[in-house]
Each structure stands twice: as C-alpha cells, then as structure tokens.
C-alpha cells in the first residue's frame, strides 16, 4: 500500500479537513471501531455523533430510505454551501482508501442517486403518457403545435359554448394542428373536449388514424371548425365573436395586433386593410420626396445617359425576368385556395388520401350529416 512519506510508514492524509460520521449497520470488517481508526490514520476526524462539524455522512441505502435522524439532519444541510454535508455510501470510503486519494462524492452520493431515479421515473411516466395519448390523440413527444409562417399564428384554438337555458357552462373544444419534429414534416389534428368549466379530464380525439401532408390535415382542421362554429374558417375575422345559436360554438380571434393566421384578401376586415394601405402610401410618398432632383443645367442627365446596345438588351431581359417573378408571386399570394403555409414544401394531397368526414364522437351529438372518421381509444369509428 502506498505511504504518505518515504520511510514514515503512515498512509497518505487523504481525509485531511474532513469530519466523517456513520449511519446504519455495516458488515464484515467495516465496524465503527475499524472505520474510526482508518479515518484517523489518514488525517481525518471521526465523529461518533452527528453535529454541524460533520462534512460526510457514510450511511447504508436502507438507512437513507428510512430517513433516520442523522440522515434528516444531513439532508437539511445538503444544499447549504457553508455547512454542506455529503451523504455517501460506504463504497466512497472503501474506494478512497484503496485508491489512496479522496474520490469525487457525486458518484457515490445517495442524493444524486435519488435524483437520477426520480428523473428516470419522470421520463418513463412522460413516455407512457405519450404512448397512451398516441392511441387516442397525438403523441406530443414527436409533434409540436404548428405555427403559420406568414405571421407566426399558433394553430391552437378554443371553441367555447355557454347556454344558461340548457345548463351548459364552459363546454369547449381545444383544437390543435400538429407538425412532426422529424423531416419530412407530417401533420395531425388533435382535439380535446371539455364538458364543463370544471372538467379536468378531457376526452382526447384525433381526426384521422394516421398523419398526412399539410394540405389534407389543414382541410380537416377547417372542416371541423365549420361544423362546430357554423361558418368557414376563412371568414372568422368578419363574422364576429357571437355564436349562431345554441347548437354552435363561438370562436374569439386574437386581438390587439396579435397574429391571426392566413386569411384570404376578400375576408380581411376594412379596419385592418385601411391602416396597411395608409402605411404603404406614406412609405411611397416618403421615398418619392427623398429622391434626388435631376440637374437640368447638366449637359447629360441621368435620364439622358447614353447606353450601348448590349446594355440595353441586358436591361430589357432583367426587366422581363422581374415582371415574370412578380407575376408568379402575385398569383400565389392572391390564390384563395392556397394559404401561404410552407411554400417550400410539397402540399399536394395524394389521391389515396381522399378526405373522409368527421365522426360523431369528435363532433358531438349535434353532428351534421357530413361526418369524418375519428380514432378513439385506438379504434376507428365511423358514423
């Protein structure tokens, strides 16, 4: 065994400055008397009682789990920087003596082990919850709520219904359009139904059994909205907040300049388009006034600068390309059928994914004649 100094015959002082106490019963040669002697030989202090001077409490797992008096006192000081007390296993003491150096306490800490077990259990519960939700709704471990790229509107809406005569208070649907974390992106519509304001256990649904491309799931999202609210999703800004009757739910669009999502030009309220047009006109006038005036006394002005035939041809070609690009972008922006979502992704729905209709389980008892299949509790139901 290595010694502290050549010829002294004493072990290295690896426990200098440490005050070590015990908690629990150890077997074999690890008796309290032997441990006390081995600690003192290595310049440490052994305490037979727990005190504020103790820096390390060596205890068994059983004693730590029981939270005996010494363990409770050490735990109370475990997070105090000035009077910290490490709660370690006997392996720390044994390995330190064997290696002839003080080893890191974190690898032998009962507190660190307990935290790791709690984190593992929390992760297992999260995974189990995700698997359970995957059977009924959308697994949020692999999907996130979709944001509209035009104004970063979050596709997480609430459809509410209150009717005192029917005794309905706080009934609502929370509808979300999800996007997969992995590429290429897949999409899914998930729904949570709350029967009342105090309902804490919502029913989970998804409109289709398998995810699909954006265009298909976006159409499902809009169709469900229209069935429950009574008017198309594109008309949400011009319809107002009020419900169309006790049968339908109401939707409150974001206000105060918050993102509202893509809306066709014909359904944008005038109070929203007028300020935008005023800003554009003001910007054009400011640019016009800031333009430098031409020097009339100059022999050759900017407009009269001579150009060669090759330069003129290049300018004509550039002008044609700009006009063509502007025309394409205008057609895309004005298209009432194609919102500006993920313009870099292919949004064409395949012929295999013919849009079905919503189920009565997801729509409710007041469903209309056109309904779609909904996956509920792992089974596809069609009404």
């Amino acid at each position: 065994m290595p010694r502290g100094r050549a010829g002294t015959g004493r072990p290295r002082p690896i426990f200098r400055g440490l005050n070590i106490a015990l908690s629990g019963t150890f077997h074999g040669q690890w008796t309290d008397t032997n441990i006390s002697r081995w600690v003192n030989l290595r310049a440490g202090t052994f305490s037979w009682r727990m005190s504020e001077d103790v820096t390390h409490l060596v205890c068994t797992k059983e004693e730590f789990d029981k939270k005996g008096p010494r363990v409770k006192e050490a735990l109370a000081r475990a997070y105090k920087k000035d009077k910290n007390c490490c709660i370690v296993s006997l392996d720390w003491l044994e390995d330190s003596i064997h290696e002839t150096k003080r080893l890191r306490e974190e690898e032998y800490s009962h507190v660190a082990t307990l935290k790791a077990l709690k984190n593992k259990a929390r992760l297992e519960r999260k995974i189990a919850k995700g698997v359970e939700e995957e059977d009924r709704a959308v697994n949020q471990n692999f999907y996130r709520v979709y944001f509209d790229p035009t104004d970063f509107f979050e596709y997480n809406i609430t459809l509410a219904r209150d009717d005192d005569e029917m005794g309905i208070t706080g009934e609502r649907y929370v509808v979300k359009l999800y996007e997969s974390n992995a590429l290429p992106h897949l999409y899914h519509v998930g729904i949570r139904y709350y029967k009342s304001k105090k309902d804490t256990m919502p029913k989970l649904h998804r409109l289709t059994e398998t995810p699909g491309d954006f265009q298909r799931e976006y159409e499902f999202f809009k169709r469900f909205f229209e069935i429950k609210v009574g008017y198309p999703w594109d008309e949400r800004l011009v319809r107002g907040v009020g419900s169309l009757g006790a049968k339908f739910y109401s939707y409150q669009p974001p206000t105060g300049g918050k993102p509202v999502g893509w809306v066709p030009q014909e359904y944008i309220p005038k109070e929203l388009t007028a300020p935008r047009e005023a800003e554009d006109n003001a910007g054009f006038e400011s640019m016009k006034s800031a333009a430098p005036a031409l020097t009339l006394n100059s022999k050759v002005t900017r407009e009269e600068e001579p150009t060669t035939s090759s330069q003129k041809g290049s300018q004509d070609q550039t002008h044609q390309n700009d006009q063509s690009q502007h025309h394409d972008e205008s057609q895309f922006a004005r298209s009432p059928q194609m919102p500006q979502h993920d313009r870099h992704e292919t949004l064409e729905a395949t012929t295999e994914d013919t849009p079905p209709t919503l189920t009565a389980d997801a729509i409710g008892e007041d469903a209309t004649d056109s309904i779609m299949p909904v996956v509920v509790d792992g089974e596809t139901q069609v009404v």
Side-chain angles (χ1 to χ4, degrees):
M1 179 179 293
R3 303 296 178 179
R5 294 182 182 179
T8 60
R10 293 182 61 85
R12 291 179 180 175
I14 59 175
F15 295 141
R16 178 171 291 168
L18 305 184
N19 193 315
I20 301 175
L22 303 177
S23 179
T25 303
F26 303 98
H27 304 285
Q29 61 180 343
W30 296 96
T31 62
D32 294 0
T33 303
N34 286 341
I35 293 175
S36 172
R37 181 165 55 87
W38 294 334
V39 169
N40 291 329
L41 281 174
R42 290 160 179 80
T45 302
F46 183 84
S47 294
W48 295 91
R49 295 181 179 180
M50 192 67 183
S51 66
E52 292 186 356
D53 297 329
V54 173
T55 60
H56 290 70
L57 178 65
V58 180
C59 74
T60 61
K61 184 181 183 301
E62 294 77 15
E63 191 69 17
F64 181 80
D65 293 339
K66 289 193 302 183
K67 300 296 186 294
R70 292 190 177 187
V71 175
K72 286 185 178 180
E73 184 176 347
L75 284 173
R77 296 167 46 201
Y79 302 100
K80 294 182 179 180
K81 294 182 180 181
D82 54 341
K83 296 182 180 180
N84 182 30
C85 181
C86 299
I87 307 175
V88 294
S89 64
L90 180 65
D91 293 337
W92 172 80
L93 188 67
E94 183 177 359
D95 292 349
S96 295
I97 293 175
H98 178 73
E99 297 291 339
T100 66
K101 64 180 181 180
R102 175 185 171 183
L103 300 178
R104 293 174 56 87
E105 292 84 357
E106 288 80 2
E107 299 178 6
Y108 303 88
S109 172
H110 284 294
V111 176
T113 303
L114 181 62
K115 286 183 178 179
L117 292 175
K118 287 184 177 180
N119 291 336
K120 182 180 179 180
R122 188 181 299 111
L123 179 61
E124 290 176 351
R125 288 195 300 269
K126 182 179 179 181
I127 294 175
K129 182 179 179 182
V131 173
E132 180 185 357
E133 287 189 351
E134 187 176 23
D135 293 337
R136 296 181 294 168
V138 179
N139 191 338
Q140 299 186 37
N141 292 321
F142 305 110
Y143 286 81
R144 59 177 179 266
V145 178
Y146 175 70
F147 281 83
D148 191 323
T150 60
D151 63 352
F152 298 102
F153 169 75
E154 183 180 26
Y155 274 77
N156 178 5
I157 65 172
T158 300
L159 312 179
R161 180 168 67 170
D162 294 311
D163 193 319
D164 296 336
E165 295 181 357
M166 299 179 60
I168 300 174
T169 304
E171 184 182 13
R172 63 196 185 278
Y173 284 96
V174 178
V175 188
K176 297 181 182 181
L177 177 59
Y178 289 97
E179 179 184 62
S180 65
N181 298 326
L183 294 174
H185 290 310
L186 294 175
Y187 299 85
H188 231 158
V189 178
I191 300 172
R192 291 174 179 264
Y193 171 70
Y194 297 84
K195 191 173 183 179
S196 64
K197 187 176 182 180
K198 297 181 180 180
D199 189 0
T200 58
M201 298 293 291
K203 293 182 179 180
L204 306 178
H205 309 281
R206 62 173 183 259
L207 298 185
T208 54
E209 184 175 0
T210 58
D213 60 22
F214 174 81
Q215 191 62 24
R216 190 193 77 169
E217 296 299 314
Y218 182 61
E219 291 298 329
F220 286 146
F221 178 90
K222 295 196 299 182
R223 179 59 178 153
F224 183 85
F225 179 91
E226 183 174 357
I227 291 175
K228 303 309 295 184
V229 179
Y231 56 82
W233 166 253
D234 291 340
E235 300 179 13
R236 62 191 181 276
L237 299 184
V238 296
R239 285 283 190 164
V241 183
S243 173
L244 298 182
K247 177 182 177 181
F248 295 100
Y249 292 74
S250 62
Y251 170 67
Q252 168 66 66
T255 58
K258 296 180 181 178
V260 296
W262 183 87
V263 179
Q265 188 68 29
E266 60 268 26
Y267 295 122
I268 299 179
K270 294 183 179 180
E271 58 268 19
L272 296 180
T273 57
R276 188 177 302 176
E277 293 177 355
E279 291 178 1
D280 294 341
N281 294 334
F284 177 76
E285 292 297 333
S286 62
M287 292 174 60
K288 189 175 180 181
S289 61
L294 296 176
T295 305
L296 299 179
N297 294 333
S298 176
K299 293 182 180 180
V300 181
T301 64
R302 176 180 292 273
E303 295 179 353
E304 297 171 351
E305 287 182 0
T307 57
T308 64
S309 59
S310 60
Q311 291 175 337
K312 184 175 181 181
S314 176
Q315 292 174 358
D316 293 341
Q317 183 65 30
T318 303
H319 179 67
Q320 293 177 1
N321 293 339
D322 292 343
Q323 283 185 333
S324 177
Q325 181 178 0
H326 178 71
H327 175 73
D328 294 340
E329 293 180 352
S330 300
Q331 291 295 330
F332 182 85
R334 294 175 183 176
S335 175
Q337 302 296 332
M338 179 61 66
Q340 300 182 28
H341 301 305
D342 288 349
R343 65 170 62 189
H344 299 295
E345 296 186 11
T346 303
L347 304 181
E348 297 180 357
T350 62
T351 55
E352 299 177 355
D353 296 331
T354 304
T357 39
L358 295 171
T359 74
D361 217 359
I363 300 174
E365 298 179 354
D366 55 349
T368 60
D369 294 336
S370 60
I371 54 178
M372 290 198 288
V374 178
V375 179
V376 180
D377 297 333
E379 300 180 357
T380 303
Q381 301 179 5
V382 179
V383 178

